[in-house]
Amino acid sequence: MSTQEQAQAGPTRVNGLVFQLAGACGIVAMGSYLSQPLTVRIAADLRMAPALAGFIVTLTQIGYCTGLLLVSPLADRLENRRLLSTILAGSGASMLLAAFAASGIGFFVAAAGIGICSVAVQLVVAHAARLCNAASRGRVVGGVTGGLLWGILAAWPVANVLGDALGWRALFLLEAAAILALIPWLRSILPAYQPQTRSSYPQTVASLPGYWRVYRELRQRTYIQSLLFGVFSMTWTALPFWLRQRYGFHATGIAGFGLAGAAGALVAPLAGRAADSGRTIVTSVAAIIAVAAAGLALCFDPPWGVLLMAVLCISAGVQASHVVSQRRVLALEPIAANRLNSLYVGGFFLGGAAGSAFAVPLFRGHPAWIGVAGVFAAGLALAFVRSLRSS
């Protein structure tokens, strides 16, 4: 079957693929976040200096940004299924290296590899969007990215619970086995796709700044999502301190709270359907209002039940905004979808990194400052949406 015929058959097949691809994205995304709640334990076992322990997470983040800029664009010129298999194999190998690391340096190398190879989730999202028509693209992107968010949020309680029960090395071994099992499975359910781009690899990477300059909506959507994802990262980074210090939660309660907060990902398919029906701007505005309302609630040191509702609103709002934005970005120029997606995801990931960096200082100043920052960021995001509407 030709690539064109496969694309035409895609809308029928993709209905049965969304749930499976969402699960695959969740598994890969979880692997890149497993080390965050286990950093202190890993550093102690590998006899790292305390000052170096933070580099475990930092190198994973740097690796992810590197993968977005240098690896993900390859999907616009190489056969996608084979490329995805190669990246997943690299991810599995990095997980194994982490599980058997005998020193801090070995684990640092593994952390960077895990970050680089986690761009596999973005290839899956772009591949899924290609398999459907424009009328169902939002629903498909929403369903698949919903699995990605579940993986990110579930990593926190899973690492705490299984890390205590089995040890962090066994946890990375299990993740390696799960990722390696994805390779034959995804090859069996995804059609092959050969892009039409004939530019060389250096030309493909060098084209990224040009796309950023050409597409105003790409820039605006990236700004919006970077602000909202910054609020998301700020809240979830401060949340363990919040629950432990102000509400007396222990590890199990914090893990349960995290799983409950992950329910915000359920809004993704609904946001995708709304975007498919032409309500992109309305959905974006509603998502930002949800984040702003949550930020306002956080300003008043709420009881834990209200805090849970605020976290749900932030997760749902950020996810809804991401679905409609990513749907628009992937449709700007299909032949360059992976490069456009790399710029978009890389941009808002920087916003998330900034949010994480400011979370603890703001929380220690007073928890209300996180809410103030959330309201301010939502206001800026709304201004960008208004400028999009007028363009």
Side-chain angles (χ1 to χ4, degrees):
M1 183 182 290
S2 68
T3 301
Q4 184 177 4
E5 290 170 333
Q6 289 167 346
Q8 292 171 347
T12 301
R13 286 195 61 198
V14 79
N15 291 328
L17 288 177
V18 172
F19 183 78
Q20 298 175 70
L21 296 181
C25 282
I27 289 171
V28 178
M30 183 184 295
S32 62
Y33 283 84
L34 285 177
S35 62
Q36 285 193 350
L38 300 173
T39 299
V40 174
R41 194 177 311 171
I42 293 170
D45 287 352
L46 296 178
R47 296 174 183 169
M48 293 184 198
L52 297 178
F55 280 101
I56 292 174
V57 175
T58 300
L59 284 172
T60 303
Q61 295 173 334
I62 291 173
Y64 185 55
C65 290
T66 302
L68 286 170
L69 294 175
L70 301 180
V71 178
S72 188
L74 283 169
D76 284 336
R77 65 183 302 272
L78 300 179
E79 198 283 301
N80 278 201
R81 192 171 60 180
R82 187 179 305 117
L83 176 62
L84 178 60
S85 298
T86 302
I87 295 173
L88 288 173
S91 180
S94 298
M95 293 291 172
L96 289 173
L97 179 59
F100 292 105
S103 65
I105 293 177
F107 197 91
F108 286 155
V109 173
I114 289 169
I116 291 171
C117 295
S118 63
V119 298
V121 297
Q122 299 303 329
L123 269 66
V124 172
V125 172
H127 203 129
R130 193 182 299 114
L131 293 174
C132 61
N133 54 32
S136 61
R137 185 172 292 122
R139 176 179 61 82
V140 170
V141 170
V144 176
T145 57
L148 191 159
L149 183 62
W150 267 100
I152 292 174
L153 296 180
W156 185 33
V158 166
N160 276 304
V161 174
L162 292 185
D164 283 339
L166 304 176
W168 63 267
R169 292 184 184 274
L171 192 61
F172 280 97
L173 278 175
L174 289 173
E175 178 67 14
I179 288 176
L180 293 175
L182 288 177
I183 297 175
W185 177 41
L186 289 176
R187 287 188 68 87
S188 69
I189 64 175
L190 286 175
Y193 174 75
Q194 178 63 55
Q196 301 304 308
T197 303
R198 291 292 175 263
S199 58
S200 65
Y201 173 68
Q203 290 172 330
T204 301
V205 174
S207 68
L208 291 172
Y211 284 114
W212 181 257
R213 290 192 299 269
V214 167
Y215 289 108
R216 179 174 182 268
E217 184 169 6
L218 168 65
R219 298 194 301 273
Q220 300 292 75
R221 292 283 174 188
T222 303
Y223 297 152
I224 293 166
Q225 200 59 27
S226 66
L227 288 164
L228 298 185
F229 196 63
V231 177
F232 176 89
S233 297
M234 188 183 303
T235 303
W236 281 92
T237 301
L239 196 57
F241 300 96
W242 214 324
L243 295 174
R244 190 175 294 113
Q245 294 179 17
R246 305 188 76 82
Y247 305 107
F249 277 47
H250 298 293
T252 303
I254 293 173
F257 197 99
L259 285 175
L266 297 175
V267 78
L270 300 177
R273 290 179 187 275
D276 287 339
S277 63
R279 296 193 291 271
T280 298
I281 296 295
V282 172
T283 306
S284 295
V285 171
I288 293 169
I289 290 174
V291 174
L296 189 62
L298 297 181
C299 290
F300 298 98
D301 196 12
W304 72 265
V306 176
L307 177 63
L308 176 59
M309 293 303 299
V311 169
L312 280 169
C313 284
I314 290 173
S315 297
V318 171
Q319 182 67 356
S321 174
H322 172 54
V323 169
V324 297
S325 293
Q326 190 168 44
R327 178 187 182 277
R328 288 291 303 158
V329 167
L330 290 172
L332 289 173
E333 188 175 330
I335 196 172
N338 287 282
R339 280 168 285 179
L340 294 170
N341 191 55
S342 293
L343 290 167
Y344 164 69
V345 174
F348 83 67
F349 188 83
L350 290 176
S356 297
F358 284 109
V360 175
L362 284 176
F363 179 83
R364 287 179 176 171
H366 194 280
W369 283 112
I370 292 178
V372 172
V375 173
F376 180 72
L380 289 177
L382 185 58
F384 283 122
V385 170
R386 286 174 60 85
S387 69
L388 268 175
R389 190 173 185 177
S390 63
S391 62

